[in-house]
mmCIF file of all heavy atoms in Angstrom:
data_model
loop_
_atom_site.group_PDB
_atom_site.id
_atom_site.type_symbol
_atom_site.label_atom_id
_atom_site.label_comp_id
_atom_site.label_asym_id
_atom_site.label_seq_id
_atom_site.Cartn_x
_atom_site.Cartn_y
_atom_site.Cartn_z
ATOM 1 N N LEU A 1 10.444 18.388 2.210
ATOM 2 C CA LEU A 1 10.078 17.561 3.357
ATOM 3 C C LEU A 1 8.773 16.814 3.108
ATOM 4 O O LEU A 1 8.652 15.623 3.423
ATOM 5 C CB LEU A 1 9.959 18.433 4.607
ATOM 6 C CG LEU A 1 11.272 18.945 5.206
ATOM 7 C CD1 LEU A 1 10.983 19.962 6.298
ATOM 8 C CD2 LEU A 1 12.095 17.791 5.768
ATOM 9 N N LEU A 2 7.799 17.508 2.523
ATOM 10 C CA LEU A 2 6.511 16.871 2.269
ATOM 11 C C LEU A 2 6.619 15.800 1.183
ATOM 12 O O LEU A 2 5.997 14.731 1.273
ATOM 13 C CB LEU A 2 5.471 17.922 1.890
ATOM 14 C CG LEU A 2 5.024 18.822 3.055
ATOM 15 C CD1 LEU A 2 4.230 20.015 2.539
ATOM 16 C CD2 LEU A 2 4.201 18.030 4.072
ATOM 17 N N LEU A 3 7.406 16.072 0.151
ATOM 18 C CA LEU A 3 7.605 15.068 -0.891
ATOM 19 C C LEU A 3 8.356 13.858 -0.340
ATOM 20 O O LEU A 3 8.049 12.713 -0.687
ATOM 21 C CB LEU A 3 8.380 15.674 -2.067
ATOM 22 C CG LEU A 3 7.634 16.696 -2.927
ATOM 23 C CD1 LEU A 3 8.545 17.220 -4.032
ATOM 24 C CD2 LEU A 3 6.372 16.102 -3.522
ATOM 25 N N GLY A 4 9.355 14.108 0.499
ATOM 26 C CA GLY A 4 10.094 13.007 1.097
ATOM 27 C C GLY A 4 9.200 12.135 1.958
ATOM 28 O O GLY A 4 9.298 10.896 1.933
ATOM 29 N N GLN A 5 8.323 12.762 2.714
ATOM 30 C CA GLN A 5 7.376 12.028 3.541
ATOM 31 C C GLN A 5 6.453 11.175 2.677
ATOM 32 O O GLN A 5 6.211 9.995 2.961
ATOM 33 C CB GLN A 5 6.571 13.029 4.370
ATOM 34 C CG GLN A 5 5.561 12.424 5.321
ATOM 35 C CD GLN A 5 4.722 13.496 5.998
ATOM 36 O OE1 GLN A 5 4.006 14.248 5.329
ATOM 37 N NE2 GLN A 5 4.824 13.582 7.312
ATOM 38 N N PHE A 6 5.938 11.774 1.600
ATOM 39 C CA PHE A 6 5.038 11.057 0.693
ATOM 40 C C PHE A 6 5.754 9.896 0.016
ATOM 41 O O PHE A 6 5.207 8.796 -0.105
ATOM 42 C CB PHE A 6 4.494 12.029 -0.358
ATOM 43 C CG PHE A 6 3.501 11.424 -1.298
ATOM 44 C CD1 PHE A 6 2.195 11.182 -0.902
ATOM 45 C CD2 PHE A 6 3.861 11.099 -2.599
ATOM 46 C CE1 PHE A 6 1.265 10.624 -1.764
ATOM 47 C CE2 PHE A 6 2.946 10.537 -3.471
ATOM 48 C CZ PHE A 6 1.646 10.304 -3.064
ATOM 49 N N ASP A 7 6.994 10.119 -0.421
ATOM 50 C CA ASP A 7 7.749 9.077 -1.102
ATOM 51 C C ASP A 7 8.017 7.887 -0.184
ATOM 52 O O ASP A 7 7.889 6.728 -0.597
ATOM 53 C CB ASP A 7 9.086 9.633 -1.606
ATOM 54 C CG ASP A 7 8.924 10.589 -2.774
ATOM 55 O OD1 ASP A 7 7.844 10.593 -3.386
ATOM 56 O OD2 ASP A 7 9.882 11.337 -3.065
ATOM 57 N N GLN A 8 8.390 8.171 1.056
ATOM 58 C CA GLN A 8 8.672 7.085 1.985
ATOM 59 C C GLN A 8 7.414 6.276 2.277
ATOM 60 O O GLN A 8 7.445 5.039 2.294
ATOM 61 C CB GLN A 8 9.253 7.623 3.284
ATOM 62 C CG GLN A 8 9.665 6.514 4.260
ATOM 63 C CD GLN A 8 10.388 7.051 5.490
ATOM 64 O OE1 GLN A 8 10.497 8.264 5.670
ATOM 65 N NE2 GLN A 8 10.869 6.156 6.323
ATOM 66 N N ALA A 9 6.294 6.974 2.492
ATOM 67 C CA ALA A 9 5.035 6.271 2.732
ATOM 68 C C ALA A 9 4.642 5.430 1.516
ATOM 69 O O ALA A 9 4.149 4.309 1.652
ATOM 70 C CB ALA A 9 3.931 7.269 3.062
ATOM 71 N N GLY A 10 4.875 5.976 0.310
ATOM 72 C CA GLY A 10 4.541 5.249 -0.904
ATOM 73 C C GLY A 10 5.382 4.002 -1.096
ATOM 74 O O GLY A 10 4.877 2.950 -1.507
ATOM 75 N N GLU A 11 6.672 4.105 -0.786
ATOM 76 C CA GLU A 11 7.559 2.941 -0.914
ATOM 77 C C GLU A 11 7.117 1.828 0.031
ATOM 78 O O GLU A 11 7.082 0.644 -0.349
ATOM 79 C CB GLU A 11 8.994 3.361 -0.612
ATOM 80 C CG GLU A 11 9.621 4.241 -1.682
ATOM 81 C CD GLU A 11 10.952 4.831 -1.249
ATOM 82 O OE1 GLU A 11 11.429 4.459 -0.141
ATOM 83 O OE2 GLU A 11 11.507 5.658 -1.988
ATOM 84 N N MET A 12 6.784 2.194 1.250
ATOM 85 C CA MET A 12 6.326 1.199 2.216
ATOM 86 C C MET A 12 5.005 0.577 1.770
ATOM 87 O O MET A 12 4.800 -0.640 1.896
ATOM 88 C CB MET A 12 6.168 1.857 3.590
ATOM 89 C CG MET A 12 7.481 2.353 4.191
ATOM 90 S SD MET A 12 7.237 3.394 5.664
ATOM 91 C CE MET A 12 6.543 2.200 6.809
ATOM 92 N N ALA A 13 4.111 1.394 1.225
ATOM 93 C CA ALA A 13 2.808 0.889 0.794
ATOM 94 C C ALA A 13 2.940 -0.077 -0.376
ATOM 95 O O ALA A 13 2.243 -1.096 -0.434
ATOM 96 C CB ALA A 13 1.909 2.058 0.413
ATOM 97 N N ARG A 14 3.815 0.229 -1.316
ATOM 98 C CA ARG A 14 3.978 -0.659 -2.473
ATOM 99 C C ARG A 14 4.466 -2.035 -2.028
ATOM 100 O O ARG A 14 4.042 -3.069 -2.576
ATOM 101 C CB ARG A 14 4.944 -0.031 -3.480
ATOM 102 C CG ARG A 14 4.357 1.165 -4.228
ATOM 103 C CD ARG A 14 5.387 1.795 -5.163
ATOM 104 N NE ARG A 14 4.977 3.096 -5.644
ATOM 105 C CZ ARG A 14 4.394 3.336 -6.823
ATOM 106 N NH1 ARG A 14 4.141 2.324 -7.637
ATOM 107 N NH2 ARG A 14 4.059 4.568 -7.180
ATOM 108 N N VAL A 15 5.359 -2.058 -1.050
ATOM 109 C CA VAL A 15 5.848 -3.335 -0.527
ATOM 110 C C VAL A 15 4.714 -4.094 0.157
ATOM 111 O O VAL A 15 4.517 -5.293 -0.059
ATOM 112 C CB VAL A 15 7.016 -3.105 0.454
ATOM 113 C CG1 VAL A 15 7.382 -4.409 1.171
ATOM 114 C CG2 VAL A 15 8.232 -2.570 -0.287
ATOM 115 N N ARG A 16 3.937 -3.379 0.974
ATOM 116 C CA ARG A 16 2.879 -4.024 1.741
ATOM 117 C C ARG A 16 1.731 -4.525 0.858
ATOM 118 O O ARG A 16 0.986 -5.416 1.248
ATOM 119 C CB ARG A 16 2.330 -3.044 2.782
ATOM 120 C CG ARG A 16 3.247 -2.790 3.943
ATOM 121 C CD ARG A 16 3.381 -4.031 4.823
ATOM 122 N NE ARG A 16 2.383 -4.035 5.881
ATOM 123 C CZ ARG A 16 1.736 -5.110 6.299
ATOM 124 N NH1 ARG A 16 1.948 -6.276 5.720
ATOM 125 N NH2 ARG A 16 0.871 -5.051 7.286
ATOM 126 N N LEU A 17 1.573 -3.945 -0.338
ATOM 127 C CA LEU A 17 0.459 -4.326 -1.205
ATOM 128 C C LEU A 17 0.830 -5.384 -2.237
ATOM 129 O O LEU A 17 -0.028 -5.816 -3.006
ATOM 130 C CB LEU A 17 -0.104 -3.082 -1.893
ATOM 131 C CG LEU A 17 -1.036 -2.247 -1.007
ATOM 132 C CD1 LEU A 17 -1.275 -0.872 -1.612
ATOM 133 C CD2 LEU A 17 -2.350 -2.954 -0.772
ATOM 134 N N LYS A 18 2.084 -5.811 -2.258
ATOM 135 C CA LYS A 18 2.481 -6.854 -3.200
ATOM 136 C C LYS A 18 1.727 -8.149 -2.904
ATOM 137 O O LYS A 18 1.545 -8.541 -1.761
ATOM 138 C CB LYS A 18 3.985 -7.102 -3.102
ATOM 139 C CG LYS A 18 4.825 -6.034 -3.775
ATOM 140 C CD LYS A 18 6.304 -6.386 -3.748
ATOM 141 C CE LYS A 18 7.138 -5.342 -4.477
ATOM 142 N NZ LYS A 18 8.595 -5.667 -4.414
ATOM 143 N N GLY A 19 1.275 -8.800 -3.978
ATOM 144 C CA GLY A 19 0.608 -10.087 -3.821
ATOM 145 C C GLY A 19 -0.849 -10.006 -3.415
ATOM 146 O O GLY A 19 -1.464 -11.028 -3.093
ATOM 147 N N LEU A 20 -1.440 -8.821 -3.454
ATOM 148 C CA LEU A 20 -2.850 -8.680 -3.067
ATOM 149 C C LEU A 20 -3.739 -9.394 -4.081
ATOM 150 O O LEU A 20 -3.722 -9.096 -5.270
ATOM 151 C CB LEU A 20 -3.227 -7.199 -2.992
ATOM 152 C CG LEU A 20 -4.670 -6.884 -2.579
ATOM 153 C CD1 LEU A 20 -4.924 -7.326 -1.147
ATOM 154 C CD2 LEU A 20 -4.957 -5.391 -2.753
ATOM 155 N N GLY A 21 -4.534 -10.338 -3.598
ATOM 156 C CA GLY A 21 -5.440 -11.082 -4.465
ATOM 157 C C GLY A 21 -6.866 -10.588 -4.357
ATOM 158 O O GLY A 21 -7.220 -9.835 -3.440
ATOM 159 N N ASP A 22 -7.706 -11.029 -5.270
ATOM 160 C CA ASP A 22 -9.087 -10.541 -5.316
ATOM 161 C C ASP A 22 -9.875 -10.904 -4.059
ATOM 162 O O ASP A 22 -10.651 -10.087 -3.550
ATOM 163 C CB ASP A 22 -9.801 -11.101 -6.549
ATOM 164 C CG ASP A 22 -9.232 -10.574 -7.849
ATOM 165 O OD1 ASP A 22 -8.433 -9.620 -7.804
ATOM 166 O OD2 ASP A 22 -9.584 -11.118 -8.916
ATOM 167 N N ASP A 23 -9.700 -12.127 -3.553
ATOM 168 C CA ASP A 23 -10.458 -12.542 -2.369
ATOM 169 C C ASP A 23 -10.107 -11.674 -1.169
ATOM 170 O O ASP A 23 -10.991 -11.267 -0.403
ATOM 171 C CB ASP A 23 -10.193 -14.012 -2.046
ATOM 172 C CG ASP A 23 -10.839 -14.964 -3.043
ATOM 173 O OD1 ASP A 23 -11.728 -14.517 -3.797
ATOM 174 O OD2 ASP A 23 -10.457 -16.144 -3.071
ATOM 175 N N GLU A 24 -8.829 -11.418 -0.995
ATOM 176 C CA GLU A 24 -8.390 -10.588 0.120
ATOM 177 C C GLU A 24 -8.847 -9.142 -0.067
ATOM 178 O O GLU A 24 -9.281 -8.479 0.888
ATOM 179 C CB GLU A 24 -6.867 -10.646 0.228
ATOM 180 C CG GLU A 24 -6.292 -9.847 1.378
ATOM 181 C CD GLU A 24 -4.778 -9.917 1.440
ATOM 182 O OE1 GLU A 24 -4.158 -10.545 0.547
ATOM 183 O OE2 GLU A 24 -4.204 -9.320 2.374
ATOM 184 N N TYR A 25 -8.741 -8.656 -1.267
ATOM 185 C CA TYR A 25 -9.127 -7.288 -1.616
ATOM 186 C C TYR A 25 -10.590 -7.007 -1.265
ATOM 187 O O TYR A 25 -10.936 -5.937 -0.763
ATOM 188 C CB TYR A 25 -8.867 -7.116 -3.111
ATOM 189 C CG TYR A 25 -9.354 -5.890 -3.803
ATOM 190 C CD1 TYR A 25 -8.793 -4.635 -3.558
ATOM 191 C CD2 TYR A 25 -10.350 -5.982 -4.788
ATOM 192 C CE1 TYR A 25 -9.227 -3.507 -4.250
ATOM 193 C CE2 TYR A 25 -10.779 -4.866 -5.485
ATOM 194 C CZ TYR A 25 -10.219 -3.631 -5.211
ATOM 195 O OH TYR A 25 -10.635 -2.518 -5.908
ATOM 196 N N LEU A 26 -11.454 -7.997 -1.479
ATOM 197 C CA LEU A 26 -12.894 -7.833 -1.250
ATOM 198 C C LEU A 26 -13.370 -8.423 0.079
ATOM 199 O O LEU A 26 -14.566 -8.359 0.386
ATOM 200 C CB LEU A 26 -13.676 -8.483 -2.392
ATOM 201 C CG LEU A 26 -13.502 -7.841 -3.775
ATOM 202 C CD1 LEU A 26 -14.095 -8.734 -4.850
ATOM 203 C CD2 LEU A 26 -14.130 -6.456 -3.818
ATOM 204 N N TRP A 27 -12.462 -8.958 0.869
ATOM 205 C CA TRP A 27 -12.824 -9.614 2.128
ATOM 206 C C TRP A 27 -13.486 -8.642 3.092
ATOM 207 O O TRP A 27 -12.994 -7.544 3.330
ATOM 208 C CB TRP A 27 -11.579 -10.212 2.767
ATOM 209 C CG TRP A 27 -11.789 -10.776 4.145
ATOM 210 C CD1 TRP A 27 -12.643 -11.771 4.504
ATOM 211 C CD2 TRP A 27 -11.120 -10.350 5.347
ATOM 212 N NE1 TRP A 27 -12.557 -12.013 5.866
ATOM 213 C CE2 TRP A 27 -11.623 -11.154 6.398
ATOM 214 C CE3 TRP A 27 -10.148 -9.399 5.620
ATOM 215 C CZ2 TRP A 27 -11.186 -11.022 7.712
ATOM 216 C CZ3 TRP A 27 -9.703 -9.256 6.925
ATOM 217 C CH2 TRP A 27 -10.223 -10.058 7.949
ATOM 218 N N GLU A 28 -14.627 -9.049 3.653
ATOM 219 C CA GLU A 28 -15.343 -8.242 4.632
ATOM 220 C C GLU A 28 -15.017 -8.736 6.039
ATOM 221 O O GLU A 28 -15.450 -9.826 6.429
ATOM 222 C CB GLU A 28 -16.849 -8.290 4.372
ATOM 223 C CG GLU A 28 -17.245 -7.706 3.020
ATOM 224 C CD GLU A 28 -18.751 -7.515 2.873
ATOM 225 O OE1 GLU A 28 -19.436 -7.417 3.916
ATOM 226 O OE2 GLU A 28 -19.221 -7.448 1.730
#
């Protein structure tokens, strides 16, 4: 159950982080 939870969160995070650029990464 814990691995499944972690895997699902990781899959969603990888999608959400696609295309992250340096300006956005460091934006305050």
Side-chain angles (χ1 to χ4, degrees):
L1 287 171
L2 289 168
L3 289 179
Q5 182 185 61
F6 183 76
D7 289 344
Q8 184 174 6
E11 289 170 6
M12 295 169 66
R14 288 177 194 263
V15 171
R16 287 291 269 141
L17 281 166
K18 284 185 178 178
L20 181 65
D22 294 349
D23 288 344
E24 182 181 3
Y25 171 69
L26 295 169
W27 173 59
E28 297 191 23

